[in-house]
Every structure is written in structure tokens, then in C-alpha cells.
Amino acid sequence: ISYELSLGMSVIGIIMLTSSMRLIDIVNAQAPLWFIVLQPIGFICYTISAIAETNRLPFDLAEAETEIVGGYHTEYSSMKFALFFLGEYINMFLVSSLATVFFLGGWQPLFGLTMIPGVIWFLAKVAFFIFTFIWIRGTLPRYRYDQLMRFGWLVLFPLSLFNVMWTAVMVNLWK
């Protein structure tokens, strides 16, 4: 729950900016400026929490592939093994898609390049996030359970709480 709380709170700033929970309204509100510019702290909290939520390597406490040969996947083979990994990559695709919608303008083009369809823009942004997930897995060491809990409660939670309070002040000043 230590990182899931900051994951949810990082999205609250976006909901406050758009006054809507509809994903289409969130993407349309980013037409002049993407929320990664307006919510950099929320983006950082979301990204770190999403990596922890998907149990990728810096935060792979359930699997611990580095300690046990293949983690808990050792007992599975063929279709069961494939379904476990398919589920992990679907989860990565989901949090990457949500990060694209929440912070990178969804299907809106970059620099006004409207000759490329919105679906291609969306998939390119999602592919960038998935590439980042895979790159982080290959470069960062694994954290211990106590380090993750300390980081979640003493760094991510206060940062996401600050982001919500800062956004509330800014939204009230703009009105």
C-alpha cells in the first residue's frame, strides 16, 4: 500500500486540473500543454509507483528472480508460464497507457505534427514507456523490502501529498 497510495494521489492533481475523471476530458485538457509540464512531481511519483505496481526489477519483491532461479515461475511451464508473463506485460501496457493519457497528452501529436494519426502517436508514447520499463530493469539493482517501504512512506507519499496541496493552491489561484 505504500506505493499504491502515491500512485493514486499522483493522479488526483490531474483530476483537480481537469475537473473530470473521464479520460477523454483529461486528454482534451492537455491540448495547449501536456500535464508532464504542469505536474512533474506527479509524473515522477506515478512512474516510480507504476514500476513498483508492476513488480519490475527494482521492486520485484514477489518474484526475487535474483535469489531463486526464476522466482516463483520455476514451478510453471508451457501455457501457465506464458500466461504469467503475458499478465505482467499486459500490466506494463496498462500503466504505460494510463501514463500516456494522464501526462503525455494521449493521442495528441507532438509539435503539431498532425500528418501522423493519433493512434500512432499513442502507441509510440506507450512504446516509449515500455522501453523505459525494460531499460530500468536492466540497469538498476533490486531493493530490499524495508528499503521499498521506507522509500514509499518517507519519499513518495510526502511528495505526492505535496503535489496535491500545490495543485490545489494553483487551481484556486487560477480561478
Side-chain angles (χ1 to χ4, degrees):
I1 204 169
S2 64
Y3 55 84
E4 290 173 350
L5 190 59
S6 61
L7 180 74
M9 288 183 69
S10 64
V11 177
I12 290 176
I14 292 168
I15 293 170
M16 292 167 64
L17 287 173
T18 60
S19 300
S20 176
M21 292 180 68
R22 295 182 56 206
L23 297 180
I24 293 175
D25 293 341
I26 291 172
V27 170
N28 291 336
Q30 297 179 65
L33 188 63
W34 290 353
F35 286 153
I36 192 171
V37 177
L38 297 175
Q39 294 281 306
I41 296 172
F43 175 72
I44 291 168
C45 289
Y46 180 88
T47 304
I48 294 171
S49 299
I51 292 169
E53 179 68 29
T54 56
N55 296 324
R56 297 305 287 175
L57 185 61
F59 311 111
D60 66 339
L61 302 175
E63 296 174 8
E65 290 178 1
T66 55
E67 295 175 2
I68 303 171
V69 178
Y72 64 89
H73 297 114
T74 306
E75 303 296 324
Y76 298 102
S77 64
S78 68
M79 187 55 74
K80 291 178 186 175
F81 182 77
L83 289 176
F84 268 113
F85 275 95
L86 185 64
E88 285 184 14
Y89 281 93
I90 287 173
N91 195 7
M92 281 176 42
F93 185 80
L94 176 69
V95 296
S96 298
S97 297
L98 288 175
T100 299
V101 167
F102 290 147
F103 296 102
L104 295 183
W107 52 84
Q108 295 180 354
L110 184 63
F111 304 122
L113 298 173
T114 57
M115 73 272 293
I116 301 171
V119 174
I120 303 298
W121 279 112
F122 183 80
L123 291 176
K125 293 172 187 178
V126 169
F128 168 75
F129 274 108
I130 291 175
F131 170 76
T132 305
F133 272 87
I134 294 169
W135 177 56
I136 288 173
R137 181 180 178 141
T139 57
L140 293 179
R142 188 174 158 263
Y143 290 111
R144 294 188 323 254
Y145 184 76
D146 61 323
Q147 291 172 330
L148 175 61
M149 294 299 112
R150 187 178 308 116
F151 181 72
W153 287 113
L154 298 179
V155 176
L156 280 180
F157 180 69
L159 267 177
S160 60
L161 191 61
F162 171 77
N163 183 50
V164 169
M165 290 189 292
W166 177 257
T167 304
V169 168
M170 288 298 130
V171 167
N172 284 329
L173 287 177
W174 287 335
K175 288 185 179 184

